Amino acid sequence: MTDLSQTPPAASDARGRVAELHAIREQVRRGPSERATEAQHAKGKLTARERIDLLLDEGSFQEVEPLRRHRASGFGLEDKKPYTDGVITGWGTVEGRTVFVYAHDFRIFGGALGEAHATKIHKIMDMAIAAGAPLVSLNDGAGARIQEGVTALAGYGGIFRRNTKASGVIPQISVMLGPCAGGAAYSPALTDFVFMVRETSQMFITGPDVVKAVTGEEITHNGLGGADTHAATSGVAHFAYDDEATCLEEVRYLLSLLPSNNRENPPRTECSDPADRRGEALLDLVPADGNRPYDMRAVIEEIVDDGEVLEVHERWATNIICALARLDGQVVGIVANQPRQLAGVLDIHASEKAARFVQMCDAFNIPIVTLLDVPGFLPGVDQEHGGIIRHGAKLLYAYCNATVPRVSVVLRKAYGGAYIVMDSQSIGADLTYAWPTNEIAVMGAEGAAGVIFRRQIAASDDPETTRAELVKQYKAELMHPYYAAERGLVDDVIDPAETRPVLIAALAMLGAKHADLPARKHGNPPQ
């Protein structure tokens, strides 16, 4: 068993001191003890250093302050002063690009945060901001170190302040690989992306015991704050995976789609998928009948490079899709209604999901492609009382505020306020296209005819026949495929098979787009 609490006596000569240094570093590398490592593995979890090795390019990690120790006394801490103080910090590379990282070491004080522990994290966060490089946190800690009292809480405050300072400046990714309770959960919530691993990671403000004591409800740790709960119900987690190796590999993939900071563009790659490739399958994927559902994911995969898509929040608010992909090697953010779920309507959660994604894309210079097939906002008392106006306005604000290239395509339905909100030309889309199957209108023909011609229908001897004829008339006059194009609200009506080359050409033209913003401290978006 290795004891990291005691410093060996200093050697008397230079060679001896170098040998002593290597011995200490080997102790630090191995961790507190084999028993602690075995206990970590028994829980199905990797050690902090094993996780860093999976995340970063081989041999690239440079550790910062590995010999740091806490200086607290009392409550038994004076006899336990392990190196690293329970957090490993440093930098390395992912596919050759610099990435900063800190990883809680659950084997030391359960990964709990104390003053020295927090100071190390503050330092690496400051370094990431100064260097303009992404920051990845590998979270596996028991919260604040109770023995250190309020200084531990102040340490969290410093992390939150730096999360906010770095927001929109460098990508911040939180990877949940163990418990995260209380105030500690707010740091991941402030970052751009949250990854979780099923069965081993949980996040909650108050644990199951407190919930039972206060409300009488009984629930497991995973039921309250596990990966599936946050990926599908709360929306706190953007991604959830079955094991740590897969999770960390996907973090690497996400980093390959993001710029190092807000002053750079995302990495562009060579593309073997022809830019002028026609998507003949699109003619069969999307039914002309607006009442028939289809899978928008299949449409997206047909358009983007090699069908490769990284969907964000895949299991939350599934009536809208937010994804990162590439078009001719260029990273794009895709926002698309999903007709397979709730007919693709916008509701509270879909609005929130898309608004945050649009803001992220705009912050990190990722062009936005919007694919519309939306019948409107979801009606209902719950939606109105839940603040659908306020939440829908978040998406409207995000689009209006975005200065990156924005191109939208209307596939089928685009009705009412939802059409406006989904990056219509009137709120600043740079280019708007439509398929010949488009129906752009205030509302569906049935509803519109019922309002406009209600007296004629009521006075008719055959109301149903009269209604059908008037619906047909309304469609012919106000909802034909070229109505919006004739009025300049759509730039062109395109062959669906040409969607990929049209989008690539549009984004190439918009590559040098520059938008002047009014002088202001910041906006006041709807909350």
Side-chain angles (χ1 to χ4, degrees):
M1 181 174 178
T2 304
D3 183 4
L4 297 185
S5 299
Q6 302 298 323
T7 304
S12 58
D13 60 6
R15 292 183 182 277
R17 293 195 178 190
V18 169
E20 170 192 279
L21 171 63
H22 286 297
I24 292 174
R25 285 188 169 177
E26 179 59 22
Q27 287 182 9
V28 173
R29 188 192 64 80
R30 288 199 308 266
S33 69
E34 289 298 324
R35 183 177 178 182
T37 300
E38 290 170 3
Q40 181 80 347
H41 288 163
K43 296 174 185 175
K45 301 195 295 183
L46 301 175
T47 66
R49 294 187 185 278
E50 289 169 340
R51 290 163 175 167
I52 290 172
D53 288 343
L54 285 175
L55 173 67
L56 301 177
D57 296 338
E58 185 176 357
S60 69
F61 182 58
Q62 301 292 314
E63 190 167 355
V64 175
E65 295 192 353
L67 306 183
R68 187 68 178 260
R69 290 171 157 177
H70 72 76
R71 56 185 181 182
S73 60
F75 304 103
L77 288 181
E78 65 275 7
D79 299 324
K80 297 178 181 178
K81 294 192 174 184
Y83 293 121
T84 75
D85 199 46
V87 66
I88 299 169
T89 59
W91 76 88
T93 60
V94 172
E95 297 185 4
R97 299 165 65 218
T98 300
V99 172
F100 287 79
V101 61
Y102 68 86
H104 299 125
D105 191 340
F106 196 83
R107 299 172 300 170
I108 297 175
F109 300 135
L113 181 140
E115 180 189 26
H117 183 121
T119 301
K120 288 182 65 176
I121 295 175
H122 296 168
K123 181 173 183 175
I124 212 66
M125 294 179 80
D126 289 339
M127 291 174 69
I129 295 169
L135 174 70
V136 178
S137 62
L138 305 180
N139 298 271
D140 185 8
R145 195 174 299 168
I146 299 173
Q147 298 94 324
E148 295 196 34
V150 72
T151 56
L153 296 179
Y156 275 123
I159 294 173
F160 303 157
R161 179 164 57 86
R162 288 168 173 83
N163 285 139
T164 304
K165 180 180 178 182
S167 181
V169 178
I170 58 172
Q172 298 180 85
I173 299 173
S174 297
V175 188
M176 315 312 296
L177 301 166
C180 183
Y186 283 113
S187 177
L190 288 168
T191 60
D192 300 301
F193 298 98
V194 176
F195 287 73
M196 294 189 74
V197 175
R198 294 184 178 92
E199 301 303 323
T200 57
S201 65
Q202 302 91 29
M203 296 172 66
F204 35 69
I205 299 301
T206 54
D209 293 340
V210 176
V211 170
K212 182 179 180 180
V214 174
T215 69
E217 298 171 285
E218 293 193 18
I219 192 167
T220 64
H221 284 78
N222 282 321
L224 181 63
D228 288 325
T229 296
H230 285 311
T233 303
S234 72
V236 170
H238 299 79
F239 306 96
Y241 298 99
D242 291 331
D243 59 84
E244 293 189 15
T246 303
C247 180
L248 292 168
E249 182 61 33
E250 290 301 305
V251 174
R252 286 177 58 90
Y253 179 51
L254 174 60
L255 285 166
S256 75
L257 297 169
L258 299 174
S260 293
N261 56 65
N262 65 341
R263 300 183 301 277
E264 298 180 4
N265 291 323
R268 186 156 192 159
T269 62
E270 292 296 323
C271 178
S272 58
D273 193 348
D276 59 355
R277 172 177 59 80
R278 286 175 58 85
E280 301 293 348
L282 294 172
L283 298 170
D284 300 315
L285 286 174
V286 181
D289 181 356
N291 294 319
R292 289 180 57 192
Y294 62 93
D295 189 353
M296 183 65 83
R297 286 190 187 90
V299 174
I300 296 170
E301 290 170 359
E302 179 64 26
I303 293 171
V304 303
D305 292 355
D306 301 311
E308 292 186 2
V309 177
L310 179 62
E311 189 169 346
V312 178
H313 272 143
E314 181 178 357
R315 296 174 56 205
W316 182 63
T318 53
N319 43 321
I320 200 162
I321 295 172
C322 297
L324 294 170
R326 283 191 168 93
L327 283 170
D328 197 28
Q330 179 182 9
V331 178
V332 296
I334 298 174
V335 179
N337 308 109
Q338 174 57 293
R340 284 186 61 180
Q341 300 292 331
L342 296 174
V345 297
L346 288 177
D347 60 3
I348 288 172
H349 288 164
S351 299
E352 288 186 320
K353 170 180 170 178
R356 185 99 195 287
F357 183 76
V358 168
Q359 288 175 174
M360 184 281 299
C361 289
D362 188 50
F364 294 116
N365 307 314
I366 300 172
I368 301 168
V369 173
T370 304
L371 305 178
L372 287 85
D373 191 345
V374 59
F377 282 94
L378 181 64
V381 175
D382 288 345
Q383 288 290 307
E384 296 294 348
H385 288 186
I388 184 63
I389 297 171
R390 175 167 50 88
H391 294 287
K394 293 179 183 178
L395 180 54
L396 182 61
Y397 187 99
Y399 268 125
C400 291
N401 202 47
T403 61
V404 292
R406 292 155 48 191
V407 182
S408 62
V409 183
V410 180
L411 278 59
R412 290 195 316 188
K413 300 184 296 295
Y415 294 162
Y419 154 64
I420 300 295
V421 168
M422 288 289 293
D423 206 19
S424 63
Q425 191 177 97
S426 61
I427 66 168
D430 296 296
L431 288 167
T432 304
Y433 299 101
W435 287 6
T437 47
N438 80 81
E439 295 180 0
I440 304 173
V442 175
M443 63 176 66
E446 290 283 347
V451 172
I452 298 172
F453 305 115
R454 62 182 182 278
R455 291 181 180 176
Q456 290 176 248
I457 294 171
S460 172
D461 294 333
D462 186 355
E464 290 304 316
T465 301
T466 301
R467 174 186 288 273
E469 291 175 350
L470 292 172
V471 166
K472 185 177 180 181
Q473 176 187 340
Y474 183 86
K475 283 186 174 182
E477 293 183 9
L478 296 177
M479 291 181 64
H480 64 79
Y482 309 101
Y483 183 84
E486 289 170 358
R487 283 150 183 80
L489 299 175
V490 166
D491 291 294
D492 198 6
V493 178
I494 63 172
D495 177 351
E498 295 177 353
T499 303
R500 171 179 167 82
V502 166
L503 288 174
I504 288 173
L507 292 172
M509 179 276 293
L510 292 167
K513 176 185 174 182
H514 174 74
D516 291 321
L517 296 175
R520 63 180 176 183
K521 191 173 183 180
H522 55 73
N524 185 24
Q527 297 296 326

